[in-house]
Amino acid sequence: MGIVLAGCSAPEPAPETEQEAAPTTLTVGVVGSLTSFNAASATGDTAANRAVASLLDEKLGSLDGDLQVVPNDGFGRITRVQGDPLKVSYELFDDRVWSDGTPVSLDDLLFGWAVTSHFFDDATYDDAGQIVSGTRYFDTAMPADPNARTARPSIDRSDDTLTLTYDEPFADWNRQWLLDRPVHVVAERAGVSVKDLLTAILTVPEGDPQAPAAPNPVLMAAAEAWNTGFDVPAGTAVDPASVVSAGPWTVTESTADTLTLARRDSYQGAHFPGLEALSVRFFPDRAAQLSALEAGVVDIANVGEIDVAERETLTDAGYQVQVGPTTQTLHLRFGEGTASDLRQAMTLAIDRSSIVRDVLGPMRPDAQPLQSFLSSSATGQLYNDLVAGNGAPGTGSDADAARNALGDRAAVLRVAYDATDELSSQVFPRLVSMGARAGIAVRAATADDTADATLAWVGEDESLYRSARDRIAEGVDGLNTDELFAELTVHTDPVDILAEAKEIDRSLFAAFAGVPLFERTGAVVSAAGVGGVDYTSEPDGVPPAFWTWSAPSQ
């Protein structure tokens, strides 16, 4: 007899519910508080606000890790149309919109020109920088550059271009990006119409400090909105909808210590991020930032100058640590009254290689003595090109030549320096011993002394033009330094600017104007598996090119 088995088969397994992948996101750690979404204003110009601006504000150019200009070819074009008179055209590509859907237009560029040019200002100032008469409209962190004056822009809407004609050729024409706060938002916060604001920009006469006029009410309202209307009062929450950006991020959430950004689908441009979201965490100080890194709650941070132990702690915690030079450079700067033979002798007496090896070697073994007054290795290839043939002296010491420069007489050099600065305090005793070998008694200048020299940290600009201007503003100049700078200012070709900068360096070295020493060291930290994060030589800047960042593989 056959046995019939009951036909009961095992039940089909329930289909697995697909888990929606969590959005790819990273957290950036920044020191400071968010106080304004206008980092270009005098009150908004802080490291934390600049960090947020670098993520939200799309412009016609950006800076790479060496602080050199990278044109934003996904947004528009800046073109030098003519050299003398210098004409520069600005073109915006179609379909570029602010995060609220409003098109980015030539009107925005026109407003940006009104802000940065200070064309309408007619203020005069006292020695303390206070206004004594007239009006200053837009209170920008960067003062108006007297060499960057232009006529009122011309606009060709059929060609979608705005053209600037400069009064004189200007070396930094390719760093004038114009795009600023959205003009429609400024007008709304000022209580004026966009049409009335643009009409004022196109018709109000140029300001004349010799004949100040009554402030234009539309421009004044717009200026007041620009100056403070984007500030974030302490203890208040930011309404995400009020933050209008041109870049690929939109603000979705804000707390006292965190700003959450999401990628926006309406963005058209070359900087579309691989990440879907990004958080910015704010910390009261560097110690808190480092603690957050060690706790694993921050993925990317520019931590600035760290010591060997801090680097080892971060490395042991699995972080990638990139170190390099920053734009803060230490110089021994001689005073104008310091005798030429003493300046020459001290320059010859200093062993810069030894100083750099002792002071920077533990963190940055490949560091080299600074070989320019105007730039540093923080600017990458630009610096390499500049120091090739710029008259920089050797980096060792020559005590015999130093004694000969003084005719074998004894001398005293009184040096002012910040004893609370760790690196300056390491350098000063080395100057004492090196000077002694050449018969120079190096002394710390007292409060009552007129210092013969100063150990001074100098902030470097990414622009050779601005660095040159700032370096020759005080101290000893060469025989023809001012004339060389005047020539540099009116060059518009980078090759010619570089050649003139070499001559300025040469004139300063020949005059023994000072002794460039070295750059402060910085560090950029990223978590294990995080990709695309490059070093930046900006001391407190967010690492560049956030659109290349990637989260660790899941």
Side-chain angles (χ1 to χ4, degrees), residues 399-432:
D400 291 337
R403 288 181 179 276
N404 288 337
L406 286 170
D408 277 330
R409 66 177 175 84
V412 175
L413 185 78
R414 295 160 297 182
V415 177
Y417 75 102
D418 180 3
T420 66
D421 177 67
E422 182 180 347
L423 296 185
S424 297
S425 294
Q426 290 184 53
V427 169
F428 179 74
R430 288 171 169 81
L431 297 182
V432 172

Side-chain angles (χ1 to χ4, degrees), residues 142-359:
M142 182 75 72
D145 193 312
N147 295 314
R149 294 199 65 83
T150 73
R152 204 185 310 262
S154 61
I155 292 179
D156 185 339
R157 296 197 183 273
S158 63
D159 236 354
D160 212 22
T161 58
L162 176 149
T163 301
L164 289 181
T165 301
Y166 284 79
D167 293 358
E168 298 286 344
F170 179 53
D172 263 7
W173 63 269
N174 67 331
R175 289 173 171 81
Q176 313 305 302
W177 296 331
L178 298 192
L179 193 65
D180 195 88
R181 300 301 90 205
V183 67
H184 66 285
V185 175
V186 172
E188 179 184 9
R189 296 184 184 184
V192 301
S193 69
V194 171
K195 179 180 179 182
D196 286 348
L197 177 52
L198 297 175
T199 298
I201 294 172
L202 290 171
T203 59
V204 171
E206 181 177 5
D208 180 2
Q210 302 303 314
N216 178 272
V218 174
L219 279 179
M220 181 56 76
E224 290 173 350
W226 187 90
N227 293 340
T228 61
F230 295 87
D231 290 354
V232 180
T236 62
V238 176
D239 175 10
S242 70
V243 185
V244 179
S245 69
W249 301 112
T250 184
V251 176
T252 58
E253 187 178 352
S254 173
T255 67
D257 63 1
T258 303
L259 195 69
T260 304
L261 312 178
R263 192 172 65 191
R264 65 178 176 104
D265 294 336
S266 60
Y267 172 78
Q268 297 289 325
H271 298 162
F272 196 78
L275 300 170
E276 295 168 280
L278 191 67
S279 290
V280 183
R281 285 282 302 274
F282 301 98
F283 299 96
D285 52 39
R286 181 174 159 277
Q289 182 193 46
L290 285 172
S291 295
L293 281 164
E294 292 168 13
V297 298
V298 169
D299 300 301
I300 299 170
N302 183 345
V303 297
E305 197 164 30
I306 57 175
D307 58 32
V308 172
E310 288 169 331
R311 180 178 61 181
E312 288 178 354
T313 298
L314 291 168
T315 302
D316 290 345
Y319 284 95
Q320 307 164 73
V321 181
Q322 302 178 64
V323 298
T326 76
T327 58
Q328 293 179 331
T329 57
L330 187 65
H331 297 239
L332 181 68
R333 305 177 70 170
F334 294 119
E336 290 185 70
T338 305
S340 175
D341 58 355
L342 179 55
R343 301 198 309 265
Q344 180 179 2
M346 192 64 204
T347 300
L348 292 167
I350 297 175
D351 185 343
R352 295 188 294 143
S353 290
S354 172
I355 290 174
V356 170
R357 183 172 59 251
D358 292 347
V359 177

